[in-house]
């Protein structure tokens, strides 16, 4: 098959580009577009030969798009208008404007792309933006599928090709909720169902252990990634703590390293200390006693390189020297799982070669 000409919108640090390379599909990214200057600096650092447009998507004319004459469109529009913990502004959110602009342009292109892959968060599937996307795809005669999944469940999830205008949503199956406290004493602010779900995930032998994604100790200044005492005392009950032997983690977001709740897991480095012994009765301790207990776990943040590893970025991916650690966390939190997207691209091209097809990926994007 001839090399596909690919346009990568909302290119960020190049997650889609890496997924395309990982997929093995003969392709060339003829243009990448993003307005985030830090992300663009990282993208150019890793893909110096790719044409990168540092401009708004609305600033690209129909004529400019037509000149690119592309076969595949990859995009990961801003998720903030749809995320469940946000304001859910949907199409009224200014950050959705560029996506709506793309939907206006698509029917007017002289040569529409054969393949489209879009990634977003859970919440997009119930949005007005999604409805407009579906209407546009139908009007353009595309076949499309919608998939909601986690990187832990990418096998056998791509549904059979539907007919033009048909869509189906595939939900990954969540572990059943526990009806009894079978996984030990509850500590921290976790429910019985939380403990059971995490325990079930950690027993899944098909998943690699966290330790496989860690940097060698000799290459990391671990002290700079330790959880500060003030953070430990204030947020210890909210921390999602994992060990190197675990096979799960919380999805890493752009707030990792700055905020605690729901932004990503932290790593327990002292494995001789049982977490239950630290947290049981912790509320009865003085602050000094609490801190003494908590420090025994030697908790630390994952390094940006480790987060990138968990998200499937290859070892060739790197950051320019001038990008700070917090900036690295931020751009990674805005990215996607490379392995998951590469698999979807393989399935998209293999099963639908020769058709106008759009794969609309609705990803819950956990980290492993």
């Amino acid at each position: 098959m001839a090399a596909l000409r690919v346009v990568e919108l909302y290119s960020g640090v190049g997650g889609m580009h890496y997924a395309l390379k990982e997929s093995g599909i003969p392709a060339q990214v003829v243009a990448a577009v993003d307005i985030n200057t830090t992300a663009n600096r990282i993208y150019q650092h890793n893909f110096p030969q790719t044409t990168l447009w540092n401009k708004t998507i609305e600033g690209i004319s129909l004529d400019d798009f037509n000149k690119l004459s592309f076969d595949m469109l990859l995009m990961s529009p801003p998720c903030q208008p749809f995320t469940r913990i946000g304001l859910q502004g949907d199409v009224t959110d200014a950050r959705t404007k560029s996506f709506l602009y793309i939907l206006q342009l698509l029917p007017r292109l002289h040569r529409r792309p054969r393949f489209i892959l879009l990634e977003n968060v859970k919440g997009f599937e119930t949005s007005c933006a999604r409805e407009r996307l579906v209407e546009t795809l139908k009007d353009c005669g595309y076949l499309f599928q919608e998939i909601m999944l986690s990187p832990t469940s990418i096998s056998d999830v791509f549904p059979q090709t539907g007919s033009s205008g048909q869509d189906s949503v595939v939900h990954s199956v969540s572990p059943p909720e526990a009806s009894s406290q079978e996984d030990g004493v509850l500590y921290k602010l976790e429910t019985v169902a939380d403990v059971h779900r995490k325990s079930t995930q950690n027993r899944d032998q098909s998943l690699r252990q966290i330790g496989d994604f860690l940097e060698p100790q000799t290459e990391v200044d671990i002290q700079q990634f330790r959880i500060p005492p003030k953070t430990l005392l204030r947020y210890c009950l909210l921390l999602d703590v994992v060990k190197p032997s675990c096979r799960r983690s919380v999805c890493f977001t752009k707030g990792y390293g700055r905020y605690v709740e729901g932004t990503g897991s932290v790593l327990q480095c002292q494995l001789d200390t049982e977490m239950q012994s630290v947290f049981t009765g912790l509320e009865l301790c003085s602050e000094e006693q609490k801190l003494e207990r908590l420090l025994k776990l030697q908790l630390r943040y994952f390094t940006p390189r480790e987060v990138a590893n968990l998200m499937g970025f290859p070892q060739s991916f790197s950051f320019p020297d001038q990008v700070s650690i917090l900036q690295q966390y931020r751009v990674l939190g805005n990215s996607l799982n490379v392995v998951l997207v590469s698999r979807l691209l393989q399935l998209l091209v293999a099963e639908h070669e020769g058709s106008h097809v759009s794969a609309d990926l609705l990803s819950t994007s956990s980290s492993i």
Side-chain angles (χ1 to χ4, degrees), residues 230-300:
K230 185 177 180 180
T231 302
L232 283 175
L233 286 172
R234 185 172 182 181
Y235 299 109
C236 60
L237 297 181
L238 299 176
L239 293 171
D240 181 75
V241 182
V242 295
K243 301 177 182 179
S245 59
C246 289
R247 301 177 188 273
R248 52 152 296 275
S249 75
V250 171
C251 178
F252 293 93
T253 74
K254 67 179 184 179
Y256 192 65
R258 291 184 299 139
Y259 306 109
V260 171
E261 187 173 9
T263 62
S265 302
V266 298
L267 184 69
Q268 178 183 340
C269 297
Q270 177 49 264
L271 304 181
D272 293 334
T273 302
E274 288 293 331
M275 211 163 44
Q276 184 169 318
S277 69
V278 171
F279 284 95
T280 301
L282 190 65
E283 70 279 2
L284 303 177
C285 299
S286 66
E287 285 208 346
E288 184 178 346
Q289 292 171 325
K290 284 182 182 179
L291 185 58
E292 182 180 359
R293 279 199 191 187
L294 292 166
L295 288 175
K296 290 180 180 179
L297 295 172
Q298 295 185 18
L299 301 178
R300 71 166 176 90

Side-chain angles (χ1 to χ4, degrees), residues 82-358:
F82 316 109
T83 182
R84 291 165 292 173
I85 61 174
L87 298 177
Q88 299 179 347
D90 202 343
V91 293
T92 63
D93 192 308
R95 289 166 291 194
T96 310
K97 184 179 179 182
S98 58
F99 177 61
L100 299 178
Y101 177 73
I102 296 166
L103 296 184
Q104 293 172 7
L105 286 186
L106 188 60
R108 299 161 55 199
L109 290 171
H110 292 330
R111 180 173 174 266
R112 293 172 190 161
R114 295 165 57 197
F115 305 105
I116 300 172
L117 190 142
L118 179 147
E119 182 270 349
N120 214 277
V121 296
K122 181 174 175 58
F124 180 81
E125 79 281 5
T126 59
S127 68
C128 293
R130 177 262 174 192
E131 291 181 8
R132 295 195 191 181
L133 168 65
V134 168
E135 290 172 3
T136 302
L137 295 177
K138 288 179 179 179
D139 290 344
C140 291
Y142 282 96
L143 312 179
F144 62 92
Q145 299 287 347
E146 299 176 88
I147 312 174
M148 189 182 302
L149 54 103
S150 159
T152 60
S153 56
I154 63 173
S155 300
D156 303 321
V157 294
F158 202 83
Q160 295 297 315
T161 306
S163 59
S164 179
Q166 290 185 335
D167 58 298
S168 61
V169 180
V170 177
H171 296 270
S172 57
V173 179
S174 300
E177 291 194 0
S179 58
S180 63
Q181 199 166 300
E182 61 180 284
D183 290 285
V185 177
L186 286 180
Y187 48 90
K188 305 201 304 176
L189 297 181
E190 296 179 324
T191 65
V192 173
D194 289 334
V195 174
H196 179 69
R197 171 179 51 81
K198 293 177 180 181
S199 178
T200 299
Q201 291 172 331
N202 284 330
R203 290 194 298 266
D204 187 346
Q205 297 295 313
S206 69
L207 302 177
R208 294 168 63 190
Q209 294 184 336
I210 289 286
D212 295 339
F213 300 89
L214 301 179
E215 290 191 82
Q217 294 281 345
T218 55
E219 298 180 13
V220 183
D221 179 9
I222 293 300
Q223 291 306 316
Q224 68 174 317
F225 296 103
R226 295 282 188 210
I227 311 297
K230 185 177 180 180
T231 302
L232 283 175
L233 286 172
R234 185 172 182 181
Y235 299 109
C236 60
L237 297 181
L238 299 176
L239 293 171
D240 181 75
V241 182
V242 295
K243 301 177 182 179
S245 59
C246 289
R247 301 177 188 273
R248 52 152 296 275
S249 75
V250 171
C251 178
F252 293 93
T253 74
K254 67 179 184 179
Y256 192 65
R258 291 184 299 139
Y259 306 109
V260 171
E261 187 173 9
T263 62
S265 302
V266 298
L267 184 69
Q268 178 183 340
C269 297
Q270 177 49 264
L271 304 181
D272 293 334
T273 302
E274 288 293 331
M275 211 163 44
Q276 184 169 318
S277 69
V278 171
F279 284 95
T280 301
L282 190 65
E283 70 279 2
L284 303 177
C285 299
S286 66
E287 285 208 346
E288 184 178 346
Q289 292 171 325
K290 284 182 182 179
L291 185 58
E292 182 180 359
R293 279 199 191 187
L294 292 166
L295 288 175
K296 290 180 180 179
L297 295 172
Q298 295 185 18
L299 301 178
R300 71 166 176 90
Y301 293 110
F302 285 83
T303 71
R305 177 66 256 179
E306 291 167 346
V307 174
N309 291 343
L310 286 163
M311 297 177 72
F313 280 80
Q315 288 302 306
S316 59
F317 171 76
S318 63
F319 294 99
D321 292 337
Q322 65 269 34
V323 179
S324 71
I325 290 175
L326 285 180
Q327 286 176 318
Q328 292 174 35
Y329 285 139
R330 187 175 181 84
V331 295
L332 285 170
N334 279 330
S335 194
L336 45 77
N337 188 283
V338 172
V339 177
L340 182 149
V341 176
S342 70
R343 179 65 177 142
L344 286 166
L345 285 168
Q346 290 172 342
L347 292 168
L348 175 64
V349 173
E351 295 199 12
H352 306 296
E353 178 66 21
S355 305
H356 273 324
V357 180
S358 166

